[in-house]
Each structure stands twice: as structure tokens, then as C-alpha cells.
Amino acid sequence: FDVPRTAQQYLSDWVRQGILIRRPGEGREETVELSASAGAAIGFLAALSQPRSAVNSSRLANVSTLLGALARDTDPDRASRLAALHAERDRLDAEIARVEEGDFTSLAEVEALERLQEVFGLAAEIPADFAQVSAELEQLNRSLKEEIVRAAGSRGDVLDAVFAGVDVIEESEAGRSFGAFYAMVLDVDRSNAFDEAVEEILNRPFAGRLSLRDAAFLRGLLTTLQEDSAVVRTQMTGLSRSLRRFVETQSWQEHQRLATALTDAQTAVLEAMAGASPITSTSYALASTSIPLTSISS
């Protein structure tokens, strides 16, 4: 690749283009990461270069299992819910009896690899999901502050909720959804079961057909999920604190006064336009501030 410019110049361009997002780090440091849109674009290109079959028994089994669980868990009728649970228990008892008698067969290698590829496909979408959650949280933070500033007269719902000690960002739809995922990733029992399952799978004969890259990806998947979710969690906590500081330091009142002044100024301009041309000379002189620039870099 011909890269005549510096890394900082390329990064600055990519930030302006929305490919990367710049975030404040520790102290005066900054970090950059892929935007949600860039992640989606890369995922699309990866799917074109390494297409996976969308029509397979593994995908159908996943859909069927999810639908069955959803139907059962949302059933408000006690009798039908018990009937579904009893049917599931009977199926498991029959399966246990067959295994005890030695009447079972392991999954064929082709089907095992098919299911594993389905796992890889789902796992590959998670980074883009994290980026999307981050973007939604930042947009929510901006929207909440704008709503507080726009609230006229009595305090608005968001302001009252923050004063009442409610973490509005945590309680949002995106916050609750991510919170459930984060709790699941950090659950010790689930994490141990995840690691044990990965080790058992990698020791199966069919895992020998995996590339070193895929095997390493699977082995480090849980750690990656924990680290990436911790970054989003830190961001969510920072946004919650920022919103609370915005309220507790009365910054919202200053923004509200500024918003009111801007609205009054716009109203005055509209009224003046009825009787004056935009190029009408006035006797008012506005002294603007400036700083001397001795070079392009400064």
C-alpha cells in the first residue's frame, strides 16, 4: 500500500468521515475505535469474501429452539405451560434411557462443523453489536440532555428522574439489554461452563479440521467478550456520571438560558426581516475575538 501520509493524518480523516470514533481515555489520552457503520461494512465485506451457507439444519434448529422457548416462557396459562414442561421432561427421560443402554450416535463430522460455523457467524457479529450499543448510548445521552434543556417551566421527566436517583441510561432499553448480557458474561458458573465446552469441542476429532485462526478465535472468545463488554460498561458508567453531573452542577440551567437566548434572537431576526433587508446597514459594531496563527500546524 502507498501510504505517504502519517498515521495521525489518516486517523483524523477517518474520524471526520465517520469510519472511526474518537473517545477520551485516561488523563489526556484518546482512543479510536471502529464506528457501528464501519463495523457493519466490514462484516458485509467479510461475508462476501467468506460466504457461509444460510440454509442448513443448524440454523433451522436454532430458530426452532428459540421459538419453542419463547412460546413456553411467554405462556400465561399454567396448564399448558406445565404440559410443555412435562413433555420436555419425558423427552429427556427417554433420551437418558437410550444413552444408558448405549443406544446413541455422535453427531456426524459434517453436521458438527456446520454447527460450529454457525457459532463463528454469530460470534463475528458481536463486535458490531457492541459498536451499535455504544452509538445508541451516546445518542441517548445527547437526547436526554437536550430534553432537559428544552424542558420549560416545571422540571421535565428526565430531570425529575435524575434528581430522584434513577439512572436513566441504565434503565433505558439499550442499557437494560446490555446489562443482562454483561451479567451473563461475568457469571462465574456460565463462564466455567463456556470454557469447559470450548475445551471439549477443541478436543473432538472434527476440530482437527479447523484452521489455527478459528481454533484460537474459539479459545479466546469468552475473554474477548468480557473485555469488549467491559469497555462498553465503562462507557455506560461514564455517560451516567456525566448526566448526573450535568444535573447536579446546575449546568442544565446555563444551557437552558443559552437556548432561550438563541430562541429570542431568532425571533427578533424574523421580526426584523419584515421591515429590513438582510443587507441593511446598522450602527452596531461587533468586535470578534481572534488569535494569531504563525503557522499551519499551530
Side-chain angles (χ1 to χ4, degrees):
F1 294 95
D2 184 19
V3 283
R5 305 169 65 193
T6 65
Q8 186 177 6
Q9 290 172 330
Y10 285 112
L11 288 174
S12 297
D13 282 348
W14 294 338
V15 168
R16 283 192 294 269
Q17 295 167 8
I19 299 173
L20 298 178
I21 295 177
R22 179 185 287 118
R23 301 188 190 280
E26 295 292 335
R28 300 180 61 183
E29 295 181 354
E30 289 182 331
T31 62
V32 290
E33 61 187 49
L34 279 178
S35 66
S37 300
I42 290 176
F44 173 74
L45 294 175
L48 291 179
S49 62
Q50 294 180 333
R52 289 191 173 97
S53 175
V55 182
N56 54 51
S57 59
S58 296
R59 180 158 296 189
L60 179 60
N62 287 338
V63 172
S64 178
T65 300
L66 288 172
L67 285 176
L70 181 62
R72 180 195 65 212
D73 296 340
T74 57
D75 189 356
D77 184 71
R78 178 174 176 270
S80 60
R81 190 160 184 167
L82 281 173
L85 290 173
H86 285 311
E88 178 67 12
R89 186 181 63 182
D90 293 341
R91 186 190 67 79
L92 289 174
D93 288 340
E95 180 70 17
I96 290 172
R98 285 194 298 271
V99 172
E100 288 177 341
E101 295 173 0
D103 182 17
F104 69 94
T105 56
S106 299
L107 197 65
E109 185 173 288
V110 173
E111 294 180 352
L113 289 171
E114 186 180 272
R115 292 191 184 183
L116 195 53
Q117 290 301 321
E118 187 71 15
V119 171
F120 286 147
L122 293 173
E125 297 174 359
I126 293 179
D129 293 339
F130 279 147
Q132 184 62 39
V133 170
S134 296
E136 290 178 2
L137 291 173
E138 289 186 345
Q139 178 59 42
L140 174 63
N141 184 52
R142 287 193 296 269
S143 300
L144 292 173
K145 289 182 177 178
E146 290 174 3
E147 186 175 340
I148 291 173
V149 171
R150 287 197 306 267
S154 60
R155 296 199 313 230
D157 294 337
V158 177
L159 195 58
D160 286 338
V162 175
F163 273 125
V166 177
D167 193 330
V168 184
I169 294 179
E170 290 269 3
E171 293 300 320
S172 66
E173 181 177 350
R176 289 196 302 269
S177 177
F178 173 76
F181 175 88
Y182 188 63
M184 185 179 298
V185 168
L186 293 185
D187 184 83
V188 176
D189 293 335
R190 289 178 182 268
S191 297
N192 291 337
F194 190 102
D195 283 334
E196 290 174 3
V198 168
E199 288 300 324
E200 290 177 3
I201 288 172
L202 291 177
N203 288 327
R204 298 284 189 264
F206 71 87
R209 295 178 58 180
L210 293 177
S211 66
L212 292 177
R213 181 178 179 180
D214 284 345
F217 174 80
L218 188 60
R219 193 180 299 277
L221 179 56
L222 179 60
T223 301
T224 301
L225 293 178
Q226 291 173 337
E227 291 175 349
D228 290 350
S229 59
V231 172
V232 178
R233 178 63 185 177
T234 300
Q235 179 198 5
M236 184 190 303
T237 303
L239 292 176
S240 296
R241 291 174 179 171
S242 172
L243 182 63
R244 181 163 293 280
R245 283 196 303 269
F246 183 71
V247 171
E248 292 177 345
T249 60
Q250 306 298 315
S251 296
W252 64 277
Q253 293 181 339
E254 298 298 327
H255 285 74
Q256 199 172 61
R257 279 194 286 269
L258 180 59
T260 301
L262 288 171
T263 302
D264 293 342
Q266 290 173 338
T267 302
V269 169
L270 292 175
E271 293 176 352
M273 285 175 60
S277 168
I279 60 174
T280 301
S281 177
T282 66
S283 59
Y284 184 78
L286 177 64
S288 59
T289 60
S290 65
I291 58 173
L293 298 178
T294 57
S295 67
I296 294 177
S297 61
S298 64

